[in-house]
Amino acid sequence: MPTWMAQAGLAMVWVGAVLGVSWMEAWVKFRAPLLTKPVAFDVGRHVFRGLNAIETPMAFTLLALNALENMTLTAWRLAAGVSSIVALQVLYLTRELERAAFHRIVAGIPDTADQSELVEELRTVVKHSHPPTRWLHVAYVVLEAVKVGVLVWYAWECVMTQSSSFNLNFFDEPFPRKTRAVRVPEDLESYL
């Protein structure tokens, strides 16, 4: 498989993961009537940590494939941009949003919770801290939207840099027709 196909494929698989987790799973779980809010926040915390765990190697792989293929400056900028978004999310935003989830979990769990050891551990974690501001969640959502757009653009860039090797114009005929030279007689009236 050519490297550019691997790059475009990786970008689109990544888009699917982000759309599936950030834009579907996150809001669907809060609409489940039997799932309590503290449990939903705890599940979300683990799901987004898992998403970050697969996005980090994807970012490194995208940059490595860029180096192998000798991509355009636009592709390099897009790969660096999406990698920067992942770094910001992993190193700062996810941690702060996890701290906010801890505050919400502790606030929503009754004192008679079954897992008292875990609840006490969470209470000591949030005891001397304030919950982070809510704009961090909005920033995370905006960065997810930007990430999806950048990844789709990156995949398109990978395909278009290779468009000279195959026909991407779907309105033209895929193969040129062979034409035969037709000799037209000088005196057309003799044939009519």
Side-chain angles (χ1 to χ4, degrees):
M1 172 187 328
T3 308
W4 65 270
M5 277 187 179
Q7 291 168 290
L10 176 65
M12 294 314 292
V13 166
W14 193 348
V15 165
V18 170
L19 290 177
V21 170
S22 296
W23 294 9
M24 181 142 180
E25 180 275 338
W27 65 272
V28 166
K29 80 170 162 268
F30 285 104
R31 282 158 180 71
L34 298 178
L35 190 63
T36 63
K37 294 281 186 191
V39 172
F41 280 113
D42 195 36
V43 168
R45 179 175 73 84
H46 287 285
V47 167
F48 277 94
R49 185 170 281 186
L51 178 64
N52 287 158
I54 65 165
E55 281 184 314
T56 303
M58 284 180 161
F60 284 119
T61 304
L62 209 62
L63 291 171
L65 288 173
N66 251 10
L68 289 175
E69 185 63 28
N70 193 17
M71 292 300 290
T72 63
L73 183 60
T74 302
W76 273 106
R77 287 179 178 161
L78 293 170
V82 78
S83 298
S84 300
I85 290 172
V86 170
L88 177 64
Q89 288 176 327
V90 169
L91 298 175
Y92 179 68
L93 285 174
T94 302
R95 291 179 182 194
E96 289 298 308
L97 290 173
E98 189 171 87
R99 196 165 56 91
F102 286 155
H103 279 276
R104 290 192 175 201
I105 291 168
V106 167
I109 293 180
D111 288 334
T112 60
D114 294 336
Q115 300 174 350
S116 59
E117 291 177 17
L118 179 60
V119 172
E120 283 306 313
E121 183 181 332
L122 287 177
R123 284 189 176 134
T124 50
V125 166
V126 300
K127 188 176 188 178
H128 299 293
S129 68
H130 297 292
T133 59
R134 293 193 183 251
W135 69 266
L136 292 175
H137 187 261
V138 173
Y140 195 94
V141 170
V142 168
L143 285 174
E144 289 291 272
V146 169
K147 189 191 316 175
V148 166
V150 169
L151 286 168
V152 169
W153 186 3
Y154 179 83
W156 181 255
E157 181 72 19
C158 290
V159 171
M160 293 313 292
T161 56
Q162 299 299 321
S163 65
S164 62
S165 63
F166 58 94
N167 185 9
L168 281 180
N169 191 349
F170 300 112
F171 299 107
D172 286 346
E173 294 180 35
F175 302 104
R177 290 187 180 176
K178 292 183 179 178
T179 57
R180 288 184 274 151
V182 178
R183 191 170 78 71
V184 179
E186 294 174 11
D187 184 20
L188 286 177
E189 290 180 4
S190 62
Y191 290 98
L192 297 176

